[in-house]
Structure formats: C-alpha cells, structure tokens
C-alpha cells in the first residue's frame, strides 16, 4: 500500500525513547523496532531535522516515523477558523454543566444533549443561559447514545466531544483542530487532568487519575504505549466517524462504559490515525470520596469483556516475553542460578537477533535488565488486579522467602510509581490507595467476564517477537 505523506508544513519531534544507533539506523517506537534508512531516507531526515516537511520524500519519512511512534507530528498554524461544533452529553449534574459551559470561549456552536435528566428544567436553564442549543432525549441511553443523538444535528467538519464534568482550557479546540491538516487523522485527544478536591482520595487521583494518560504524545492504537483515549474530551472528523458507524450509530449504544475505546479501535482498524496530544489540557471533575473513586474504577473494569469480544486480541492485560518472564519467575521462586541462566539467555538471544540484522548490540544488558524490571512490575499489577485473594493467602503462609516474593509483587508497582512521581501523599497511603484501585478495577473486569462468558480480558499474552525490524532499504 502506498504511503500517504505527512503534509507540507508539519514538523516532527522525536520520541524521548528514540535513539539513533548509527547514521540512518534508528531504534524506538511502540512496539519497539529498528528502522534503517536508505541514502534517500537519510537525505529526507536532514530536511526534517532542520525544518518542516517540504518534499514528498520528507513527508513519507515523517509518516513512517510518526506511525511507528519514533516521532510525533507538530501541525502548522491554523489557516482560518476551523469548522467545529462542541457536543456535550449530560444527565443532570447542572452545577458541573454550568462550570463546563462557562469554560468555553463562545467561538463555536455548542450542542448539549440532555440524556433524560430528572431535572430537565434545570438543564434547560443552564443551556439557555450560555446560548447553547439543547436536544432532549426522553429515554436515558448513556453518553454514547447521547452523542449519537447529537451527531444527527451536527453539520460541521469537526466535532469536539466534551463531557459535562470537564472544564476546557482556552484555545483547546483550536489547537486540537490544527492536527486535522493531516488527511489521515480521524481524532485527536488532549490530556485530561484530574480536577480533584484536597482529600486523600482527591490527592491520590491527582497523582494517578485513570483518564490522565501522561505527558508523552503518541499515536493511539491497540498494543502500543497509548492504546486508547477517552471521549471525555476529543475532537474528531465527522466523515471518519460516519465511515465506521455500526447500523448508523457511531457509538455502540449497547456499551454504557468503554464506548470511547470501542470507537477509537474501530477508527484504527479502518486505517485512520488517532493521536494523543498532551500539550493541550482539559480538566475533569473527580470523585471526592473513596467509594466514588473505587466504584467508578470497578465500572470501568466491566467494559473489558465486551471490548474483548468486539476486538479479539486487542486487550491483553499482561504481555510476557519468554526470557524476561522466565527470569522473573526464577527470582520469585528463589532460584538465583536459574534466573542467571535465563537472564544470560535473554542477552544472548537478543545479541544474535541484532547481529542477524546488522544492528549494533551496545546496551543490550541494560535493555534486558529493564525488560526484567517491567515484567516484574507488570506481573505485580496483574496479580493485584486479578488474583488479590491468592496473593493475600500466600502472604499469611509460612516461609519468609515466599512472603517476600509475594510482597514484592503486591508492593513493587505502587512503591515504584510513588518513587518516580513523588505525589502529594506519603508512600504508605499512596501504596494502599493504588492496591485498592487495582483490586476495584480487577473486580469489575471479573464481573464483566462472568456476565459475558469470556476469559480473554484476564488472559496474559505471550509475545514471541521482542523487536520489529523494518525491511532493509525500505526508506
């Protein structure tokens, strides 16, 4: 298939993890890969390194790098006002709706869909106060169904979805709309920052909000570092939404939770691009109490099973590479000799793979050590989410070695996260909160599995291909 170049005027920025191994040889991306450039590709890289895309060759290379996650696009300035309608679904919560509408700058038409609110008059009064258009649904169908109703009344090229419990920052829609200079882009999402009170639950949420996907830009696709974006705040191309509609419905009305993930994955499967742009922020109201926070995490978990049935293979909770997994398993079983042999095997296997593709093997030991660490942390979160009762039972059994191994799985991920972030909570309360968070989410996943009679959301995936290699001379 012919590559559609990134258009003239776009710049790119390298991903922080991208490394130039030698002239024309790059490593990085998500999933990790090695990209080798031809002489023409190296010339195109020189153009991208010093300025925006100005040639077809540079545009093709920019597309290749941004699709692989080795780099991220920076769009040119907007040429005129974008054609945008802001869509806000709401079910009661008039105070939050008031705050949301007050945060808009009034540049674009706003359509509020009342999803059968009990206080219909209150919602209508807030909408009228801010000069927005109101569409009323008589039967509550959830946010996805409400957005579908809105799309029947939208005629603009772009749709800016915004939840009623969000507060936008100035210029958020303009800056996201600039990305649509790329004809392949279907949707782009900002970073959703938690707007939480100064309670223990609120401070934890500010450090580990479930909708906050971090500060690193990304192409959004299953199996990558950023596998989805929420529609709490999202700008989308209306024609792309229509193209992936199911029986006329853009959002699956059967999904009360996870309808945004389903839409993003359908857009990806159709060949569109979806991007995450964390340099643009929108704030999101968060629960003030632990019951509210953990209850919402459990509801999010219930979406895993229906999503897994709609998108088989896209929702593995844990990806295991054979050698690092064997190393971690041996360490947890207190078999240091076996762990050393497995770690040596991982190094040897990777060195042979790299040499077979004429790639320098510098830094392999550190890379494999990092892979072992990530496997250990991944196993810890997986165990906490889906096997917490088993871990608790093992903790009370005799044997300090066994207890230490289990405690490392239970405590390792939250303690590591606390050390990296240094949030506004002490390590003990942060660790307890993170464990409760994972258990609540896992309970929701198990409940969804039982309802939909599937085990896919709790089955780890074995990854046999640790590194991708683009064919020699492809660019």
């Amino acid at each position: 298939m012919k590559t559609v170049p990134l258009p003239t005027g776009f710049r790119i920025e390298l991903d922080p993890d991208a490394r130039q191994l030698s002239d024309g040889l790059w490593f990085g991306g998500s999933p990790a890969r090695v990209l080798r450039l031809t002489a023409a590709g190296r010339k195109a890289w020189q153009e991208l390194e010093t300025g925006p895309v100005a040639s077809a060759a540079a545009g093709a290379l920019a597309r290749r790098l941004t699709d692989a996650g080795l780099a991220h696009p920076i769009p040119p300035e907007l040429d005129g006002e974008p054609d945008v309608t802001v869509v806000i679904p709401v079910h009661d919560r008039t105070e939050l709706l008031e705050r949301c509408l007050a945060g808009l700058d009034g540049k674009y038409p706003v359509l509020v869909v009342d999803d059968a609110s009990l206080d219909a008059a209150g919602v209508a009064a807030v909408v009228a106060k801010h000069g927005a258009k109101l569409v009323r649904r008589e039967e509550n169908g959830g946010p996805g169904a409400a957005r579908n109703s809105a799309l029947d009344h939208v005629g603009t090229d772009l749709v800016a979805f915004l939840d009623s419990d969000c507060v936008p920052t100035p210029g958020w829609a303009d800056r996201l709309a600039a990305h649509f200079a790329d004809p392949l882009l279907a949707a782009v999402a900002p970073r959703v920052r938690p707007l939480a009170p100064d309670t223990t639950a609120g401070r934890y949420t500010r450090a580990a909000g479930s909708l906050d996907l971090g500060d690193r830009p990304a192409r959004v696709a299953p199996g990558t570092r950023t596998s989805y974006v929420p529609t709490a705040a999202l700008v989308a191309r209306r024609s792309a939404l229509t193209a992936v509609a199911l029986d006329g419905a853009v959002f699956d009305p059967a999904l009360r939770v996870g309808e945004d993930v389903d839409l993003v994955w359908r857009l990806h499967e159709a060949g569109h691009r979806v991007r995450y742009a964390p340099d643009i922020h929108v704030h999101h109201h968060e629960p003030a109490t632990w019951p509210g926070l953990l209850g919402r995490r459990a509801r999010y978990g219930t979406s895993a099973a229906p999503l897994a049935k709609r998108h088989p293979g896209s929702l593995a909770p844990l990806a295991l590479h054979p050698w690092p997994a064997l190393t971690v398993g041996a360490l947890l079983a207190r078999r240091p000799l076996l762990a050393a042999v497995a770690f040596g095997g991982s190094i040897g296997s990777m060195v042979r793979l790299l040499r077979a593709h004429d790639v320098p093997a510098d830094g392999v030991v550190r890379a494999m050590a990092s892979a072992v660490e990530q496997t250990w942390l991944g196993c810890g979160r997986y165990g906490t989410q889906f096997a917490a009762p088993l871990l608790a039972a093992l903790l009370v059994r005799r044997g300090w070695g066994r207890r230490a191994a289990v405690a490392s799985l239970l405590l390792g991920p939250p303690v590591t996260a606390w050390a990296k972030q240094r949030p506004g909570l002490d390590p003990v309360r942060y660790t307890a909160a993170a464990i409760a968070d994972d258990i609540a989410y896992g309970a929701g996943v198990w409940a969804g599995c039982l309802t939909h009679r599937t085990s896919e959301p709790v089955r780890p995936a074995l990854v046999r291909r640790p590194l991708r290699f683009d064919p020699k001379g492809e660019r």
Side-chain angles (χ1 to χ4, degrees), residues 192-226:
V192 180
R193 302 298 300 270
L195 192 63
D198 194 28
T199 62
T200 303
R203 290 195 294 275
Y204 170 74
T205 304
R206 288 201 294 266
S210 54
L211 297 181
D212 188 347
L213 303 180
D215 60 359
R216 297 178 60 176
R219 180 185 177 188
V220 181
T224 67
R225 185 177 66 226
T226 305

Side-chain angles (χ1 to χ4, degrees), residues 5 95 161 453:
E95 290 184 4
F161 295 111
R453 299 182 181 181

Side-chain angles (χ1 to χ4, degrees), residues 152-229:
D152 292 337
H153 301 268
V154 171
T156 53
D157 293 336
L158 302 179
V159 184
F161 295 111
L162 187 68
D163 281 359
S164 61
D165 54 359
C166 286
V167 180
T169 54
W172 72 284
D174 289 348
R175 296 176 63 195
L176 290 174
H179 284 267
F180 289 90
D182 178 1
L184 296 189
L185 186 71
V188 58
R191 184 176 184 180
V192 180
R193 302 298 300 270
L195 192 63
D198 194 28
T199 62
T200 303
R203 290 195 294 275
Y204 170 74
T205 304
R206 288 201 294 266
S210 54
L211 297 181
D212 188 347
L213 303 180
D215 60 359
R216 297 178 60 176
R219 180 185 177 188
V220 181
T224 67
R225 185 177 66 226
T226 305
S227 61
Y228 74 98
V229 285

